[in-house]
């Protein structure tokens, strides 16, 4: 170790018998040295405060004056000022409050930092209201790119909050359970970065991070030191707030970036985090079709987990022989963003769904099915990096029918009489099953221009045929919302119109109105 200069040694002058204690940081900093070193620094300073001022004594209010390097305030001081209040808020039983603004407390913290080879020596001192040194601590931090970013002068410009600046290599290091009430995205395009490390002696866990408030937030999750390709992203888990859950291994560091949904978003939000230990999953192994877990029809909701990232859960559904014909309803529940697929016994994909159950839940309605048929269900997180708990249930449902059924094909098309010129014909329909289609047939005695469209919440798809089954025109979202609309000049003859739902959004029990206007 190099010898310190006389000016450095003067920092160790002790006031009123105060002792300055030296300590070296962890020698093995793992794959994220800056994150672990910064977290260790904050913990050591917090421990010093508790030992000196905690206990049964009067409440102590402290403000952080900053840290200097070559007599210039550097961003490392801003980082300590931002992180220390968060860490102290989690130490129950100690009447110590830490503020980052001067004038708030009866004690203050200051410090100096020196570059010593490939390490930083940090000298922290605690002062009373008269400026006397109460105690102090020497800390040695291994130098890393993230720490280098915090050695620049602290007189940076721009907006932001008291936790700025932060970046992917110098994020705000948090512990599970930390709550930030006053984070701010400012100026436009601002991103806030956080790091969470699971202790080495902990069990594998699920890290959940979420925002609350009126700001439209977007969260990205990074791991393995890769800060360019997020393994998980979330936009709107609850209203405009973002929420992610990701598996984390002992000793692993997860980096979280929070930004606005678009670069113009500015404002404040609250950040909440937690770790949940994940014990043995009784449903595993069910990662392949041949290892599928039996799911009972009508058995109610059962709870399962996607864990770790990339986990697949397979289930086997056996339709009882007592059912001659029925329709299956399979759905997930909970806050997990699930994706579900239904397969035949031969392994053929029959249908898939993302958010058919509302919000982020998946739902599949399928039929008709017959007694003794076997189906397989695969459930995964919508994104490759997501983990968490969900529920799953399977049951039968009875389709509802409108007055025009059966009208599901060319030969079953219901006859209708077209309105007079300038008038509109209106009919109310119901999609009885997800694959239901409604057909109408009409005849023109003379050439006429027609407008054929639907109204309602259904995502409709219209197809117009001539009497030779030739498609004249198709329409998906040419009408209002997701409704189809066709405007076509027809010669005398017989025509058919098929109305169905857009396949990926097909649901049962959805009503709509068919309108035909003659011009």
């Amino acid at each position: 170790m190099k010898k310190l200069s006389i000016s450095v040694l003067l920092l160790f002058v002790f006031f009123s018998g105060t002792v300055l204690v030296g300590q070296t940081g962890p020698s093995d900093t793992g794959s994220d040295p800056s994150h672990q070193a910064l977290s260790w620094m904050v913990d050591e300073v917090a421990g010093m405060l508790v030992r000196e001022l905690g206990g049964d004594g009067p409440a102590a209010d402290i403000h952080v004056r900053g840290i200097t390097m070559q007599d210039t305030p550097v961003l490392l001081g801003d980082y300590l000022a931002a992180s220390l209040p968060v860490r102290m808020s989690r130490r129950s039983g100690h009447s110590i409050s830490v503020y980052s603004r001067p004038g708030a407390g009866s004690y203050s913290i200051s410090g100096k930092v020196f570059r010593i080879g490939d390490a930083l020596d940090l000298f922290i001192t605690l002062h009373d209201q008269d400026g006397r040194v109460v105690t102090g601590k020497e800390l040695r931090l291994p130098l890393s790119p993230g720490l280098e970013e915090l050695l620049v002068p602290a007189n940076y410009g721009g907006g932001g909050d008291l936790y700025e600046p932060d970046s992917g290599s110098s994020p705000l290091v948090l512990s599970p359970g930390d709550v930030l009430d006053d984070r701010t995205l400012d100026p436009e395009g601002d991103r806030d970065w956080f790091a969470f490390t699971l202790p080495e002696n902990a069990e594998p866990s699920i890290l959940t991070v979420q925002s609350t408030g009126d700001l439209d937030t977007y969260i990205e999750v990074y791991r393995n030191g890769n800060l360019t390709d997020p393994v998980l992203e979330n936009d709107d888990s609850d209203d405009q707030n973002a929420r992610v859950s990701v598996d984390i291994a002992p000793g692993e560091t997860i980096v979280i970036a929070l930004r606005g949904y678009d670069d113009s978003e500015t404002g404040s939000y609250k950040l909440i985090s937690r770790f949940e230990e994940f014990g043995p999953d009784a449903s595993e192994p069910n990662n392949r079709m041949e290892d599928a877990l039996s799911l009972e029809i009508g058995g109610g909701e059962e709870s399962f987990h996607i864990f770790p990232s990339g986990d697949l859960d397979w289930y086997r559904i056996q339709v009882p022989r007592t059912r001659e014909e029925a329709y299956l309803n399979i759905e997930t529940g909970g806050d997990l963003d699930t994706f579900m697929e239904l397969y035949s016994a031969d392994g053929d994909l029959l249908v898939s769904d993302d958010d058919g159950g509302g919000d982020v839940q998946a739902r599949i309605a399928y039929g008709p099915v017959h007694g003794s048929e076997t189906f397989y269900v695969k459930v995964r997180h919508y994104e490759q990096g997501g983990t968490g708990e969900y529920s799953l249930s399977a049951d039968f449902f009875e389709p509802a029918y409108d007055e025009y059924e059966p009208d599901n094909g060319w030969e079953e098309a219901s006859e209708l009489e077209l309105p007079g010129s300038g008038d509109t014909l209106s009919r109310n329909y119901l999609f009885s099953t997800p694959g239901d289609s409604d057909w109408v047939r009409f005849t023109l005695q003379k050439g006429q221009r027609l407008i054929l469209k639907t109204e309602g919440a259904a995502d409709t798809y219209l197809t117009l045929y001539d009497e030779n089954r030739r498609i004249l025109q198709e329409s998906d979202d040419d009408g209002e919302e997701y409704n189809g609309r066709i405007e076509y000049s027809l010669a005398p003859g017989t025509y058919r119109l098929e109305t169905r739902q857009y396949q990926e959004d097909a649901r049962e029990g959805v009503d709509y109105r068919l309108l035909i206007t003659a011009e």
Side-chain angles (χ1 to χ4, degrees), residues 142-183:
L143 196 57
S144 62
L147 286 176
E148 287 274 11
E149 292 186 13
L150 297 178
L151 299 182
V152 300
N155 57 340
Y156 59 94
D161 50 37
L162 60 90
Y163 301 102
E164 299 288 359
D166 49 7
S167 66
S169 54
S170 296
L172 182 63
V173 179
L174 299 179
S175 296
D178 285 343
V179 176
L180 300 180
D181 290 305
D182 53 355
R183 287 252 47 177

Side-chain angles (χ1 to χ4, degrees), residues 407-410 413-414 437-441 465 496-498:
D407 59 351
N408 302 320
W410 184 274
S414 62
S437 62
D438 297 325
W439 290 71
V440 297
R441 181 177 68 249
Y465 299 85
R496 283 173 173 80
L497 177 70
E498 178 194 12

Side-chain angles (χ1 to χ4, degrees), residues 335-371:
D335 296 327
L336 198 66
D337 192 353
T338 50
F339 189 92
M340 183 162 53
E341 297 172 337
L342 182 68
Y343 291 83
S344 70
D346 295 327
D348 297 324
L349 177 62
L350 302 174
V351 64
S352 62
D353 182 78
D354 176 18
D355 299 329
D359 294 329
V360 295
Q361 295 80 35
R363 177 177 181 267
I364 287 177
Y366 182 81
V369 300
H370 305 277

Side-chain angles (χ1 to χ4, degrees), residues 91-105:
R91 293 176 173 265
S92 59
H94 302 287
S95 53
I96 302 174
S97 299
V98 182
Y99 302 91
S100 60
R101 300 302 184 214

Side-chain angles (χ1 to χ4, degrees), residues 327 350-351 364-368 397 399 405 407-409 430-439 498-510:
Y327 287 82
L350 302 174
V351 64
I364 287 177
Y366 182 81
F397 72 90
E405 292 288 352
D407 59 351
N408 302 320
L430 181 73
F431 289 119
S432 56
T433 65
D436 186 23
S437 62
D438 297 325
W439 290 71
E498 178 194 12
T499 304
R500 60 176 175 84
Q501 295 183 83
Y502 183 70
Q503 184 176 359
E504 294 182 4
D505 295 322
R507 308 286 179 265
E508 90 286 352
V510 181

